[in-house]
Amino acid sequence: MTYDLIVKGGTVVSASDTFIADVAVSRGKVAAVGKITECAKRILDAHGKIVIPGGIDAHTHFDMPFMGATTIDNFATGSMSAVFGGTTSIVDFAIQTKGKTFRHALDDWHRRAQGNCVVDYGFHMIVTDFPEKQQKEMDKLVDEGVSSFKLFMAYPGIFMSDDATIFRALQRTRENGGMICMHAENGSVIDVLIAKAIAQGKTAPEWHALTRPMTAEAEATHRAIALAEMAGVPIYFVHLSAGDAMEEVRAARGRDLPVFAETCPQYLYLCEDDYRRPGFEGAQFVMSPPLRPKGNSERLWKALARNDLQVVSTDHCSFCMKAGVNRPGKELGKKDFSKIPNGAPGVEYRLLLLWDAVQKGRISENRFVEITSTTPAKLFGLYPRKGHLNAGADADIVVLDPNKSHTFSRKNHHSAADYNPYEGLTVKGSIRDVFIRGDAMVLDGAWVGRLGYGQFLKRTARV
Ligand code: DUC
Ligand code: ZN
Ligand code: ZN
């Protein structure tokens, strides 16, 4: 037997175990894990290195039009950024245009991704309109592998759905096995607070945070849990930022409700003070929900360790600070924080930021794999194809060098964004090699892959 690849002698970390082993790959799949004595076309030495399943980022926005701007990262640059950060699969958000079908949006997003995306990709569908005919279309999408749907309780007039619409969508997933992903912030209250702040001349970036209080997130989280409970279905909260919202999730899970939530590295590593950086620099961090006051992140770290939060995704949504040709940037909101396009880059930094948390003893190495790969695979219909390195899984393999440091900077990241939210931060750990379905994309930190290599992931419905 000659394998295509053996990753030799690394410390293999799974969601449950850590052990030294060889990983053999044949025809794009993990063929065996253990002491492997057979030959291979390629042997990669991984002694002293960490070998993990490729990261799965269940929350990216590549090529996203929003608030009068479009993200600088399309599926080519966004996925390059992902793969250099050890993420081998993403689930991005297609956006339904009001009055149009899901199909229309899906075709559009397939066009954006196909031939460009390096990593394997699936889609969630952002629901902006949900009349009777869309309900039937929702069932079809689930059958086609687009099995999750994002609804917004924020952004009135753009994305926001009322409670009746949310409840109808939740009820439908009881029939079709889809999962509702919720952006939980009370958008109506936030709009009142924004209007008041602007009328009082409070226009600087920090007012983005001050007009989107924690309670607005906690209230919406509580309400959405109640709606899901009445519909009798699971619910998943995206980009949970506030400790108070986390407590709502925790309480619901304590009542054995199928409630799940992700947080994002920005809510763990940055805080509200970052909005007060000199000049307009704070605009880098304008995203929704906003960064929270110092001390909040400690609550999220504890919740992650306790499994009150289950996933860390990034909400990568990379608007540039400076405008480019035909491409407005965050400067749109120089005189009014509410016009700053919401979002920041993140897909490339997630694994190393969280590996740093392993070094600091915040989470175990197994929990690190669980929240970055195994659980997102399970919740979003990618398991057992992805999310682990047992025989039969896709050979999405990341080799991490735990002894080499990495300094985050816009000068070395692969996103096209003109800033890095973690500029200058050094962590212990570096992504050395990345394979997707057995093919090398990054070797020794250098690009060896092919643009457009990524395949569409037809995801399964909930079981
Ligand atoms: N939040 C952001 O910051 N950007 C895109 C959409 C969202 O919900
Ligand atoms: Zn959102
Ligand atoms: Zn998002």
Side-chain angles (χ1 to χ4, degrees):
M1 168 91 198
T2 302
Y3 294 113
D4 293 328
L5 165 72
I6 298 176
V7 178
K8 212 148 190 78
T11 301
V12 178
V13 180
S14 76
S16 54
D17 299 296
T18 304
F19 50 96
I20 293 179
D22 310 324
V23 180
V25 175
S26 198
R27 277 183 261 128
K29 300 275 183 193
V30 176
V33 183
K35 180 98 197 111
I36 292 165
T37 50
E38 285 96 334
C39 310
K41 291 179 196 151
R42 165 187 265 160
I43 305 258
L44 188 81
D45 180 19
H47 286 88
K49 309 294 180 284
I50 304 296
V51 178
I52 49 175
I56 298 174
D57 190 340
H59 192 151
T60 64
H61 301 277
F62 296 159
D63 209 356
M64 186 193 185
F66 187 46
M67 296 181 74
T70 301
T71 56
I72 187 74
D73 281 320
N74 53 26
F75 277 86
T77 62
S79 64
M80 281 287 257
S81 187
V83 79
F84 273 95
T87 285
T88 53
S89 300
I90 56 149
V91 190
D92 203 87
F93 290 82
I95 307 175
Q96 179 199 21
T97 306
K98 263 201 179 98
K100 295 207 171 150
T101 60
F102 292 146
R103 164 78 36 219
H104 183 268
L106 198 54
D107 289 349
D108 185 359
W109 255 261
H110 271 299
R111 266 192 303 274
R112 291 169 196 243
Q114 213 167 28
N116 290 316
C117 200
V118 172
V119 300
D120 286 350
Y121 58 95
F123 295 120
H124 311 279
M125 178 62 63
I126 289 180
V127 178
T128 55
D129 207 14
F130 201 56
E132 179 66 31
K133 67 174 188 314
Q134 237 66 62
Q135 303 200 16
K136 293 205 183 82
E137 221 202 341
M138 189 194 210
D139 307 345
K140 258 200 207 136
L141 251 63
V142 174
D143 291 342
E144 280 181 35
V146 177
S147 49
S148 41
F149 300 82
K150 183 178 179 187
L151 278 88
F152 286 77
M153 301 169 92
Y155 299 122
I158 309 172
F159 288 141
M160 191 168 108
S161 293
D162 61 19
D163 288 356
T165 304
I166 292 169
F167 190 57
R168 270 202 304 274
L170 284 162
Q171 278 186 318
R172 196 73 187 192
T173 62
R174 194 180 161 99
E175 316 301 323
N176 63 29
M179 171 85 99
I180 298 297
C181 299
M182 189 59 75
H183 178 132
E185 283 186 296
N186 187 322
S188 308
V189 166
I190 287 168
D191 260 17
V192 171
L193 293 173
I194 291 174
K196 189 171 169 203
I198 296 295
Q200 292 173 345
K202 294 163 176 166
T203 58
E206 71 173 303
W207 285 93
H208 173 71
L210 299 174
T211 54
R212 303 185 90 94
M214 293 238 223
T215 314
E217 187 181 358
E219 182 278 325
T221 305
H222 183 90
R223 185 162 28 111
I225 289 169
L227 296 174
E229 185 176 7
M230 285 188 273
V233 291
I235 187 165
Y236 179 92
F237 290 95
V238 290
H239 51 47
L240 186 147
S241 71
D244 293 354
M246 178 274 292
E247 289 298 347
E248 297 291 346
V249 170
R250 185 181 183 195
R253 289 173 62 82
R255 292 195 291 124
D256 283 336
L257 292 175
V259 173
F260 307 95
E262 66 179 24
T263 188
C264 309
Q266 54 270 32
Y267 305 122
L268 297 165
Y269 281 87
L270 304 169
C271 76
E272 198 183 270
D273 295 349
D274 289 301
Y275 292 115
R276 298 181 193 104
R277 292 197 193 180
F280 192 57
E281 257 188 72
Q284 292 178 24
F285 311 99
V286 169
M287 61 188 73
S288 292
L291 302 180
R292 300 300 185 184
K294 252 204 176 97
N296 179 73
S297 62
E298 208 47 50
R299 297 172 72 187
L300 301 184
W301 279 119
K302 287 194 177 122
L304 262 182
R306 287 191 308 246
N307 202 33
D308 292 336
L309 297 173
Q310 294 73 43
V311 172
V312 176
S313 306
T314 63
D315 200 6
H316 180 99
C317 190
S318 53
F319 296 108
C320 279
M321 288 290 282
K322 293 229 170 311
V325 181
N326 294 329
R327 189 184 288 276
K330 291 201 176 237
E331 285 175 335
L332 277 178
K334 214 150 193 178
K335 295 194 180 122
D336 175 349
F337 70 87
S338 71
K339 297 198 164 50
I340 300 170
N342 286 197
V347 72
E348 190 167 346
Y349 326 125
R350 180 182 66 134
L351 288 197
L352 287 184
L353 284 169
L354 289 171
W355 181 254
D356 191 55
V358 173
Q359 307 313 299
K360 296 199 164 109
R362 288 189 178 280
I363 51 172
S364 73
E365 65 227 27
N366 309 106
R367 183 72 182 144
F368 162 78
V369 169
E370 193 168 35
I371 61 183
T372 58
S373 183
T374 311
T375 301
K378 286 181 176 169
L379 287 175
F380 290 108
L382 294 171
Y383 196 87
R385 178 173 169 191
K386 295 190 185 286
H388 64 99
L389 287 179
N390 296 328
D394 277 3
D396 299 346
I397 304 172
V398 172
V399 180
L400 187 155
D401 186 341
N403 295 314
K404 195 170 168 192
S405 294
H406 180 84
T407 301
F408 296 106
S409 173
R410 69 172 186 280
K411 297 197 187 101
N412 63 14
H413 72 190
H414 299 81
S415 159
D418 60 358
Y419 74 96
N420 185 318
Y422 307 97
E423 188 71 37
L425 176 68
T426 299
V427 290
K428 186 108 183 279
S430 167
I431 304 295
R432 195 189 76 173
D433 314 298
V434 182
F435 294 83
I436 303 179
R437 285 176 276 109
D439 288 323
M441 297 291 125
V442 175
L443 280 180
D444 216 0
W447 172 243
V448 294
R450 172 169 64 78
L451 222 54
Y453 175 86
Q455 288 181 353
F456 172 65
L457 295 168
K458 188 169 185 282
R459 296 179 294 117
T460 56
R462 276 186 295 111
V463 281

